[in-house]
Amino acid sequence: MNNNNTTDFEKLFHDDLYMYLRSTDMVDERLPEAPDLEQLWPQLGQSYVADGIREYNTGYPSVALGWIMFLGMAVAKYWDVEWDTYSKVPDLYLYLRDRIDFDHMDDYILDKVLCLDAETRVKVNDVVAESASRTYSKICHLHLEEGTANAYRAFVAALHQLYLMGIAVELKALGYHMTKM
C-alpha cells in the first residue's frame, strides 16, 4: 500500500467494513448511492475531526470512530423523513452534537433520531462498536507514526468510510434496497 495515497486508505477501510456489514446483513450487496448525503462529507468531516481527534488521542478511539457512523445513520434518517428542513441546517454534526453533548451523541441518535426499540438499539450499537473496533485495528496495523500527515489521512479516510457505511446501514433499515437495473 502506498501510504501517501488516501484512496488506498479509503479502499482498505471500505472493503473491511463492507465485508463485515454484509456478514451481519446490515447492508445490501450493492451499496446505496446517496449524492445528497455524500456531498455533506467535506463540511461534516471538517466539523467532526477536531472532536474526533481529541477523543482518539485521549484513549477513546472506538468512540471517535463509532460516533461518525452514528452521524451517517442520523443524516440518512433526516434525509428520509424531512430533508427539506434538515438540508437547510448549516452543520448537521454540530446540530446533533449540541442537542446533548459529544459523549452522549450516540444515545441521542439511537433514541431520539432513529427511535429504535431496545432490541434493535442493542444490535445497532453492537454493530457500530464492532465496526469501530475493526477500523481501529486496521489503523494500528498500518504502523503509521502518530502526528504525521499519513496518520491524519488514514484517520480521515476511516471516518469517511464509517460515515458512508452509517448511511448505508440506515438506508437499508429504512427499506431502501439498491439493485441493478
Side-chain angles (χ1 to χ4, degrees):
M1 174 185 292
N2 174 2
N3 286 337
N4 291 319
N5 191 338
T6 302
T7 304
D8 290 343
F9 292 137
E10 295 260 355
K11 181 169 176 23
L12 173 75
F13 300 127
H14 169 88
D15 291 353
D16 183 67
L17 289 166
Y18 173 75
M19 181 185 68
Y20 167 65
L21 293 169
R22 281 289 296 144
S23 76
T24 63
D25 197 33
M26 296 293 281
V27 298
D28 286 326
E29 181 178 354
R30 183 175 166 104
L31 293 174
E33 295 174 18
D36 290 347
L37 306 181
E38 289 179 29
Q39 74 183 10
L40 295 175
W41 172 248
Q43 184 266 325
L44 288 174
Q46 182 178 2
S47 212
Y48 182 88
V49 79
D51 289 335
I53 285 175
R54 182 191 68 240
E55 293 296 315
Y56 192 91
N57 288 335
T58 57
Y60 300 101
S62 292
V63 168
L65 297 167
W67 272 220
I68 197 75
M69 193 168 176
F70 286 123
L71 179 63
M73 292 175 189
V75 170
K77 177 73 176 220
Y78 286 156
W79 177 82
D80 182 62
V81 296
E82 207 171 324
W83 192 237
D84 285 342
T85 300
Y86 288 106
S87 67
K88 294 176 179 80
V89 173
D91 187 326
L92 283 169
Y93 165 64
L94 293 178
Y95 173 83
L96 284 161
R97 184 198 68 191
D98 294 347
R99 291 287 162 255
I100 190 162
D101 59 37
F102 184 85
D103 292 339
H104 300 97
M105 192 175 76
D106 61 327
D107 294 324
Y108 180 83
I109 290 171
L110 289 166
D111 295 337
K112 305 294 184 196
V113 178
L114 303 180
C115 304
L116 300 179
D117 62 54
E119 183 180 329
T120 306
R121 186 186 198 285
V122 168
K123 180 180 179 184
V124 168
N125 199 49
D126 288 350
V127 165
V128 169
E130 178 62 20
S131 296
S133 178
R134 295 172 72 89
T135 302
Y136 178 60
S137 178
K138 290 278 182 206
I139 291 171
C140 289
H141 283 89
L142 290 171
H143 302 291
L144 301 171
E145 186 178 342
E146 290 182 32
T148 64
N150 272 343
Y152 178 78
R153 280 194 289 274
F155 179 69
V156 172
L159 293 177
H160 185 216
Q161 287 305 308
L162 286 156
Y163 168 76
L164 293 174
M165 291 301 172
I167 291 169
V169 165
E170 183 59 17
L171 289 177
K172 180 174 181 181
L174 291 167
Y176 293 92
H177 300 283
M178 303 297 139
T179 57
K180 287 187 180 182
M181 300 200 55

